[in-house]
Amino acid sequence: MTRWGMAIDTDRCTGCGACAVACHAENNIQTVGEVEAARGRAMHWMRIERYYEGVFPDVKVRFQPVLCQQCGHAPCEPVCPVYATYRTPEGLNAMVYARCIGTRYCANNCPYTTRYFNWFAPEFDAPLERQLNPSVSVRPAGVMEKCTFCVQRIQDAQEVAAQEEREVRDGEIKTACSQSCPAQAITFGDLDDPESLVALLARTERTTHLLEDLSTEPSVIYLRGGR
Amino acid sequence: MSGPAASIHEEALVRPLSGFRPKLFFGSLVTGLLVAVLFYSWGYQIVNDIGVAGINRPVFWGFYIVNFVFWIGISHAGTLISAILRVTQAEWRRPVTRCAEAITTFALMIGGLFPLIHLGRPWIFWYMIPLPNERGIWPNFRSPLMWDVLAITTYLMGSILYLLLPMIPDFAIIRDKRLREYPKGLKTLFFRVAALGWRGTPQQWFSLEAGIKAMAVVIIPVAVSVHTIVSWDFAMAIQPMWHSTIFGPYFVVGAIYSGVAVLMVAMYLLRKGLGIHEYLSDKVFNNLGLMFLAFAMLWSYFTFAEHLTVWYGNEHAERAVFDGRITGEFSGFFWTMIIVNTVIPLLILPWPKGRKPLGTAIVGLGVLVGMWIERYLIVVGTLSTPRLEYTQGFYTPSWVEIGILVGSVGLFGFLYFAFLQLAPIVSLWEVREGEHLTHRAFAAEQALRAGREGASHG
Amino acid sequence: MADGRLHAVFARAADARAALQRLGQDGVAPENVEVRSSVPLEHDVVPVGATIKSRIPWTSLAGATVGGTAFFLMVKLTSEAYPLPTGGQPIVGLPPAGVITFEGVAIGAVLTTVATVLFECGLPGWLKKPGPLDHHIALDHILVSVKCDEGASTAWTAHAVETARG
Amino acid sequence: MRRRDFVKATSVAAGATLLEGCGSPEEQFIVQRVRQTPELPGESGWRFSVCRQCAAGCGIVVRVVDGDAKKIEGNQAHPVNKGGVCALGHSLLQELYNPDRILQAQRSSGNRGSGAFEAVAWDDAIAQVVSAIGAVPADRIAIVASDRSGLTGALWRRFAAALGAPAPAFLEAPELEVERRAAQLALGTTDLPYFDIANADCVLSIGAPILDPGRSQVHFTRAFADMRRARPTRRGRFIQAEARMSLTAANADVWLPVRPGTEGVLARAIAGHILASGSVPADAARRYRVLFPGDAPSTADAATQCDVPEERIVAVAEELRTAERGLVIGGGSAAAHSNGLANVAAALGLNVLLGNLGRVGGVFAPASLGLTRTVEPSNPADSPIAELAARLRGESGEPVELLIVADADPVHALPAGWGIREAIGRVQTVIVLSSFRDDTALQANLILPLATELERFEAYESPTSAGVAALGLAEAVVEPMGDGQHPADILLAVARALPESVASRFTWASYEALVRARVGEDLARMPGSAGATASAYLSAAIDRGGIFGDAAAMSAPSGPTGAAPELPGALSEGGPEYAFGLLPFASVKNGDGRGANRPWLQEHPDPLSTVMWGSWVELSPADAAELGIHDGDRVRVESQTGSVETHAVIDPAVRPGVVSMPLGHGYADNGRYAQGRGANVMALVGAGRVDGTTASAWAATRVRITRVGEGTMVRFGRRYEGGEPELIPVGWAPQQTSQLVQIRGARV
Amino acid sequence: MALVMVGCSDELPPPPPQPIAFSHSVHIENEIECTRCHEGVETQAQAGLPAMAACASCHRRQAADHPEVVKFMEQYANGNGEPMVWRKVHVIPTSAMVHFKHSPHVRAGVDCATCHGDVGSMTVAQQVVDVANMGWCLDCHREQDASIDCMTCHH
């Protein structure tokens, strides 16, 4: 079996945010504009959370990239009344836009607040729409969306592997965020493949999860800093 | 010529059913305008997308769900209360049941509207209905929202039938009256149809009463389940101060509390507006006032227990929500709620003088506001303080949401005014039955006394 | 009377009871006697020989059973007929099925109860014609009407009723 | 069913009307293209290109589907970015497809500066440039260009020389001039040296904003991450001495928030401490004394001057001294005070003491392919941009009658104290090569649009940031959207139309021809060219995205060449009523303004303030409380030079007495996403220069701040409310815990 | 609402008007393989159309006087590089947010005719199967034991 997972090295991450823009470019995420952003409706499937620690001059900044944790026990899944979100056999927390009726219950129930809602239909001022990724749907108004672990890239890689009659190789699939990360802080791969880099990282003693105590069993692993 | 129990007071009950009544007309007009506001706002939202509402991230639910919970809570006014009273055979229930059950039915209809209003894509709401389809997909029965759909459908169906069933004999009474007075009137035809050809034979009465009794027994657990399930919408989510085992009973108590409150207000208005003091007497207010007091205490107890555990547990995320209520952003709301829901009722209701109609109505109005605030605190208070503090948000309702809230109140009033013109607001036959029972009891007592006297003399 | 019925109006239940007993003594078949009132009467104000009974708690229970079973099956079986991939999680667990079964029980009970009431009452019965004295019922009188087949018996029955009223 | 049908259905309340919506599925079309393309319809093609969004010149790969560019990723082989891309690089696509991009040449119609333009044919526009050049004496022409170190820059130098005009001025980050000068003094390199951060054990950065945009963010981010985590046994430490909590400081293991302008004192005191410890070889000490003959200030003195506890200075000095591979870098705001040259020289000089010149994890001499050699005229001296400003103001030199600005926005980027904005209006003819109506283009008589790097042949040699020579080389990736061309191609077209004396010096048919010719001429010097023909070598280079040198060629810098200026105290503009030192900075949001008209970047939260869609000024909680300012309020920021209004961000990591504002906001036009959004911090910066150089001392302005009223600031993250504990959801380094950590925030 | 569900899948749309009366049957009769023109079908999501240049290379000689070919060559030669715009015959509405890929279907041995009908015998390409009907897709996926995971197609 395959279980897609991601390891994020917080000691490498510098919080530059390249991943967030890469995600916008790859996944046709709409930019909502100043007015809507002021109402808290900006969408960043991948966001860099910034926390301050301490008092000046001993103040420290911590960056925490947060995306959908693709939980093994996702609180968002059971609450959807129409099965628009569910767990796929490959361990992805799927979001089916066409099925979504917009109860927004899943977003309420996400402890990581990583689900984003299309309050209005996206607008792309011409010719910006020429950039849109043809492999990803443009979501209409009233639909929930979130990080998909770049499922279109996973599928494309699996398709290429199938055409070449082989298995998908570790490192062959890179999500948009992990590809662009200047610090190479993001590693994507199959957690069920003991040989994969992400599984290797998952076994290190630096491994930790976000809000571990909720036992959501995230597929995103954070490697904490320090020596 | 008048029957033994068809007292002169019945005229006040039957009067609104015919002719032009300025008060009712004016009331319908005003509330009708508010209904227009409701549908304009909703239509505007459908055409321009859900984004015109003030909800945002992370406060994905706002006024609509607050209103939903509020109205579903209100709906516990009638069916549950009247069922409890019927099952316990409280005699003073007779003038109360009808107007309470009507509240239930209308509040449920409005409450049931809100999940639809709050959908992002309401035009495909039927994805929630288990219709066999070629897509191979099915509603997710794990979702508390699906439980809601089922529970509210059940409760609404039950409530409508529970309201209509006892109305059949009353429609028949009015039909019989009107057939003589205005045999050709349109309204007469309405009552003929509504009475379903009720004749009032002993078998019919027997079946009807048996049916009502059975439904009263069924409807009580349904009502409890409805608000429990509404509470589970929240309690099943792992959000701070939602994920609480106490939520089921807490919501049920809150629902009945707000239900009694709205009943007090409605009864006060009916008594004043229709002049039916003989039916909605001080005694009724006093008795319901006692029930009101009981629920005020129960609700306050639950509220205290809910907050005490959070405070004592001191879990960070929960504590953030708690602090927001007690001292933070929402403290104004919270303390207003405590004043109108706990302080004022507990100051006024224990005293017999406080349980006069005006007193209970004032308390009721306050509790209505307070219970709305309670739901606001639960929905918005928690959502705006998520576990990852970075994503903390805020919420300001838009005119659309306010329009829909005001409009929903208007719709309730409008339906109620319409109801007043279509059915007697106090169950005629039940009151008559009560008087018969009194007479019978009196006669039996007389006979007994007579017998004893005879015996002692003999 | 034109429709072959004779109506009598009573103000007190005791009078109506007496009239009914008289009718019974006179051998009028219970199905030819109809008692109507705007409130439920005591159980003895019925045509002599008529039996009054309801199947209600039992039909309600049956309805509840059927409703509960139906909903349980809908959840368990039908959702297995739509096997959506859920990554190994149950499509519907037992506790949610319980909640839904409960609602099914309630909905079945309510619907069958109402259906039973309507059936036992013979409702809707819009076709039955109103009688000339129906408005008395609205005034909380008790109406006893007797179906009369022949002229002779009509006169005889009228007499009987008169006597009772007297 | 669509929404409209639903509305209809609910209004009519009849099911029958619903059917209408289903009968006709929306029409869709298939386009049959005219000619064969390398990819099949709908197939993704990945093409190499070079990112020119900042001076770093990363190698990129562009996904092209049906002729449209869809996504930018990094070229793994390119030594600058090694596969990474920054936020600005991704948003290049939104420059390519920007709705407000200028696609045709524009001529000012109506008053200049009014923003009214009309389209002109491309050839007419070139003819107009030619006639404008012919109409003025050559010494009254001024040229502002970008790409100082590259081939395009060399072409501009040649162009100016051929015309007989003064040498072109190059617009770049002003502190670079200071850093180059300091590197020359302290390390003996002609250009910026290369710092091998990835292999260092302890890096002290004196203000160098290596993780912030503008330098080579992607390269240094990777180096920084590798320093920490690429080696199994050692994790490098990073110490940032900077007045502002920049993105670099935020990631540092230690942050020394020194008083602005005292960075050099810190560096000198550390040097003194290391020298006093006796562990420095005599030779290194002697070489250091060439740079700084005088005695270093004591750590106690430095502690007072820098406002940093002495023990922390000593700890840093000790850590640096004992580290196996210590490294010191300098620049950024430290270079932008009046004493900036001394600051940076003091920082770089420390490397001499640490003995890391030419060592792994140390300092290396810059590397270059040297392609510009024969393009440049014999005298490569540039006009300092400050000198050009003086000419424009009419204060020195020949007055300017024709100003040519190529791919630069000096009106926006230069300090208001230099008066360019006013002076440019007095220039008779202004010709701007730009794709957007930025602040300079708005003043133009003629705008010649540029092709983005995706639409043109591109060759760009990265400055020294990668340590090895790296020439990105790529053909056009997509069809051009409009008439725009590479600035070098425009230059060549103009030159060819000029009289023979000029035209004869520009014989290349195009920029591409020039690059191919130059590589061919120097083939023997090119890395890995043994045995290859020029055309085969070039096509192989294009197939991998460029010509990349190898690390073996890295060489050590020679060491100090002369005495650095002794450390004067930093001067700043503004009297005591201006209570705050102003530190402008480049945020990853808009960079230097290049990203301002891209929705992705406008909506991208700044990493620290999390502000979106606008500018802001960062204040410390203590200062804000004193001024009665709340987070998000509108405030007026005034200096002696100018005044702007913006929003206040209260930030617990700001040094009291210092405020900072991002660059790249406050455009008059520049497209719908940028227009009128935020305020330009350069409007506040005065005319001061860094002593010993011509660079602007942009960190030397003092400002005062007053509250204007409540405002709505657009923020992604939670605002800082002061005094509250922040819950960090997972454990980080210093706590060595995976438990939830509750930390008290700063008290206001 | 049940009406809606029944109502949609009733009739297939008529073949849309096309710029050129292209006949599949004539090309098949001349033994031109499907994949010669629809090159992407084995490796790509889209089967794709050949470039106009590819059509022209044959039709310079073949049937050069056929009125429709003349029309095509006119557009090719004098169209200023304007592409030919055809109407899609098999449309999955964008609101379904489906990403159909040809290559996995061809690899699984699904015959072209399964979805497209016997195009080889059609003079005008016409829809014979309602490809926008998800149930139809699913039936086949279930039969073939292919993925019925929603996200396989909807993402």
Side-chain angles (χ1 to χ4, degrees), chain A residues 41 79 81 103-105 108-109, chain B residues 51 53 55 60-61 143 233 239:
Chain A
R41 293 174 174 183
V79 299
T103 66
R104 305 186 291 287
Y105 198 170
N108 275 350
N109 209 9
Chain B
I55 30 184
F60 287 97
W61 287 353
S143 170
D233 284 350
Q239 299 299 15

Side-chain angles (χ1 to χ4, degrees), chain B residues 217-288:
Chain B
V217 172
V218 175
I219 213 99
I220 292 172
V222 170
V224 170
S225 83
V226 165
H227 224 73
T228 306
I229 287 173
V230 167
S231 85
W232 286 347
D233 284 350
F234 303 99
M236 294 296 139
I238 53 167
Q239 299 299 15
M241 289 201 77
W242 280 9
H243 197 52
S244 153
T245 47
I246 208 178
F247 253 38
Y250 184 30
F251 267 52
V252 172
V253 164
I256 302 173
Y257 191 28
S258 68
V260 178
V262 79
L263 188 56
M264 308 288 349
V265 177
M267 274 169 39
Y268 176 76
L269 293 177
L270 288 171
R271 178 177 146 121
K272 284 274 161 196
L274 302 178
I276 47 176
H277 317 267
E278 285 77 12
Y279 295 96
L280 302 178
S281 62
D282 283 5
K283 183 190 167 200
V284 173
F285 278 88
N286 185 55
N287 287 350
L288 265 179

